[in-house]
Structure formats: structure tokens, C-alpha cells
Amino acid sequence: MLDYIVETKAIMQRVKENRIAQKLSVQEVAYRCNMERSNLSRLETGKINLTIKTLCLICNALNIKLTDVVK
């Protein structure tokens, strides 16, 4: 059985890697997602729960496919 916390952190690590590779700040991606910078930071560190809807918003903001981060 997959551990939810471990899997969520791994997904968000891949999101963060994509954000950094595109040279985008947390603030810029948060703005594109219409969310607070602090919320995106907490998501990237696994401190708050991630929803599929939020993950889709972030992937859209980064112009990547959901399947690129959910492996």
C-alpha cells in the first residue's frame, strides 16, 4: 500500500523541480494559480494536503502534464 504522505511529497518535489527548471518563483506560480504564496510553499514542503484540483491548477500554471509529476 502506498503511503499518502510519501507519495504527496514526491509529487510536489517533482512540481518544485519543474518550477525551478523554468526559473519561476513560488510567488509567480502562486499568482498564476490564484493562491497565496505561503500556501504554495506549504504544498511544496508537504505541510498541507494536496487536492487533485490544486495539482491540476499548478500543472497548468507550469504548462506541464499531470502525468509528468504523478508517476
Side-chain angles (χ1 to χ4, degrees):
M1 183 171 167
L2 297 175
D3 182 348
Y4 170 78
I5 294 169
V6 171
E7 291 298 316
T8 302
K9 284 184 178 184
I11 289 167
M12 289 311 296
Q13 179 61 37
R14 288 190 287 275
V15 167
K16 183 177 181 178
E17 289 167 1
N18 275 277
R19 177 182 62 74
I20 291 169
Q22 294 181 41
K23 297 182 173 136
L24 295 171
S25 68
V26 173
Q27 181 66 42
E28 176 60 27
V29 176
Y31 174 78
R32 292 179 184 188
C33 295
N34 195 30
M35 73 171 61
E36 296 291 323
R37 183 206 53 79
S38 58
N39 287 339
L40 183 55
S41 290
R42 286 192 291 266
L43 284 166
E44 282 191 354
T45 58
K47 293 181 180 171
I48 59 175
N49 288 332
L50 176 66
T51 66
I52 296 296
K53 179 181 177 181
T54 301
L55 183 56
C56 287
L57 287 171
I58 295 167
C59 287
N60 285 338
L62 293 171
N63 198 28
I64 58 175
K65 295 178 184 177
L66 182 63
T67 55
D68 291 340
V69 295
V70 180
K71 297 179 181 181

